[in-house]
Amino acid sequence: LTATLADGESTLDLSAALSVNIITLNNDGVTVTGSDQSDQITVGGGTDILNLGDGEDVVTVSGVGNADGDTINTQGGNDAINISGDNTVTSSESITIVGGDGTDDTLTISDTNDFTGSPAFSGVEIVINSDVTLSVDQVAAANGEIRAEGGGSHAVTLKAVPGGATAVELASLDGVT
């Protein structure tokens, strides 16, 4: 199934799907129930809530403001969340990312973004392809491990957030410059 949600559509249930789903969400904010297949979802503006299901899913978030208020629950399967575009996430915005239990979920960040307005990510490996600002809590939740890929700069700025941790032990900064 390949589809773009029409304006005004706010709920999408893919749970009965038997094939790959390629979906582009509208800008109204959509609640998605994923399938056991590979769901490939591109989010739009608005507050989206993704409950991905058991497939090997891919979520793409790109564009200023398109991540603000979104919640991504990866659930089962080894899922990939790709955030790209300068300032897709800023310190005044929030995106919640909850990885599945016992799965290998990956958050890949391309272009310059600041996640300090977001809660700590859980259950995801952080891969950076650019400069990024993360909270101490987010890095601690990733067990102090960040991996860099691709060429160019991979500067990581760590910031403490009010009420959060003030220190983190960095276990692995593979490729970070």
Side-chain angles (χ1 to χ4, degrees):
L1 170 68
T2 299
T4 300
L5 261 62
D7 289 344
E9 298 282 340
S10 62
T11 304
L12 177 63
D13 187 347
L14 301 169
S15 61
L18 300 175
S19 63
V20 172
N21 301 294
I22 302 171
I23 307 295
T24 300
L25 302 182
N26 58 33
N27 290 326
D28 294 331
V30 179
T31 299
V32 176
T33 300
S35 72
D36 291 344
Q37 307 302 313
S38 176
D39 300 324
Q40 299 172 27
I41 301 171
T42 301
V43 303
T47 301
D48 298 312
I49 300 170
L50 309 180
N51 298 303
L52 297 178
D54 288 337
E56 306 263 329
D57 306 311
V58 177
V59 176
T60 301
V61 184
S62 182
V64 174
N66 283 349
D68 192 24
D70 289 354
T71 298
I72 301 172
N73 297 303
T74 64
Q75 299 177 331
N78 298 326
D79 302 319
I81 302 164
N82 302 306
I83 297 179
S84 64
D86 286 338
N87 299 313
T88 294
V89 180
T90 67
S91 62
S92 64
E93 300 173 334
S94 177
I95 183 170
T96 301
I97 298 173
V98 180
D101 292 331
T103 62
D104 291 323
D105 299 321
T106 304
L107 167 62
T108 301
I109 303 165
S110 301
D111 304 307
T112 303
N113 287 283
D114 184 336
F115 290 87
T116 55
S118 301
F121 312 131
S122 65
V124 295
E125 175 188 21
I126 299 173
V127 177
I128 61 170
N129 293 327
S130 60
D131 298 343
V132 64
T133 301
L134 299 168
S135 75
V136 172
D137 291 333
Q138 290 160 342
V139 175
N143 298 316
E145 297 182 10
I146 300 173
R147 181 169 42 97
E149 292 182 346
S153 177
H154 297 100
V156 176
T157 302
L158 295 179
K159 291 185 178 178
V161 294
T166 57
V168 63
E169 181 177 326
L170 298 174
S172 174
L173 292 175
D174 293 338
V176 175
T177 56

